[in-house]
Amino acid sequence: MFLIEVKDLSKEYINEEVKTPVLHHLNFNIERGEFVAIMGPSGSGKSTLMHILSFLDKLTDGQYFFDGKDVSKKTDDELAEMRSHEVGFIFQSFNLLPRTTVLENVMLPLIYTGDKERERENKAKQAVISVGLGHRLTFFTNQLSGGEKQRVAIARALVNNPKVIFADEPTGNLDSKSGLQVMKILQELNKDGHTIILVTHERYTAEHARRILRIKDGEIVADEIVNNRQIADGAEELMK
């Protein structure tokens, strides 16, 4: 069974009775443990697709199965529950709380798990250590570099042990060195078995994945295996 199955998926927005089609009859599957890049220019529909796949938005027509569940039939409350437990998010703008420590930021997704505070703290510490920031646990987020902020965001995405990590333009606000460090971590996480879906408009960034879904004007125009994959060496050292 595929982790993600998309069948004839379409999406349109309606504003004052004006319909704006965004996605048109998409069909694809993603297996557990894959590293897939969704690549396309601005306005292609790639972000809309990511929002549907990550339960932030609903499709208009077609079907979307996640881990065997028909997502298109879920209520808003059920989607929110799935968002909390099934997926992790990494955003271009980091989305970290200011004037809050690294550890506190990473603990946020654990608030509603029912775990005791000591257990939540231990899980968050391990996630922070896993991205090479164990020495920054008590730092406030405004004391960090851009690359460090994104690594905190990765730790936060990991802390609930999600089935999928969604990375939306994760290197967009970073210099090339910091961006490469982030891609190193994502590749290492994938090597450890995590399913990762990366959204980007840059082919070089997409080629760090193992497979690329190219979207143009709301349609999938190519579904290709990356033969000359960009390998970010040194990830193991960074993750220590």
Side-chain angles (χ1 to χ4, degrees), residues 35 154 171 177-191 208 231-239:
F35 188 165
I154 293 172
T171 63
K177 181 180 178 181
S178 297
L180 184 59
Q181 288 180 334
V182 167
M183 296 313 299
K184 286 177 180 179
I185 293 174
L186 292 180
Q187 285 189 335
E188 188 64 16
L189 291 172
N190 177 242
K191 183 179 175 182
H208 284 82
I231 300 297
D233 294 325
E236 295 85 350
E237 182 176 347
L238 184 64
M239 299 282 282

Side-chain angles (χ1 to χ4, degrees), residues 32-63:
R32 286 172 177 77
E34 279 202 86
F35 188 165
V36 179
I38 299 174
M39 189 185 80
S42 178
S44 62
K46 63 183 185 298
S47 292
T48 298
L49 177 58
M50 189 205 77
H51 290 160
I52 292 172
L53 295 180
S54 60
F55 322 124
L56 289 166
D57 200 355
K58 292 183 177 182
L59 52 81
T60 303
D61 290 303
Q63 289 180 298

Side-chain angles (χ1 to χ4, degrees), residues 31-32 37 64 130 171 174 189:
E31 294 184 1
R32 286 172 177 77
Y64 168 30
S130 76
T171 63
L174 304 178
L189 291 172

Side-chain angles (χ1 to χ4, degrees), residues 162-230:
K163 292 178 181 174
V164 183
I165 296 172
F166 289 94
D168 188 6
E169 301 279 8
T171 63
N173 281 341
L174 304 178
D175 59 55
S176 57
K177 181 180 178 181
S178 297
L180 184 59
Q181 288 180 334
V182 167
M183 296 313 299
K184 286 177 180 179
I185 293 174
L186 292 180
Q187 285 189 335
E188 188 64 16
L189 291 172
N190 177 242
K191 183 179 175 182
D192 288 342
H194 290 277
T195 304
I196 296 174
I197 298 178
L198 166 73
V199 175
T200 182
H201 67 279
E202 298 176 336
R203 183 161 191 91
Y204 173 77
T205 301
E207 287 176 347
H208 284 82
R210 296 180 181 274
R211 175 184 166 200
I212 299 175
L213 290 174
R214 288 201 292 121
I215 292 187
K216 183 178 180 181
D217 299 328
E219 298 180 343
I220 294 177
V221 295
D223 183 350
E224 55 200 26
I225 301 299
V226 181
N227 292 317
N228 298 309
R229 189 185 185 206
Q230 301 289 340

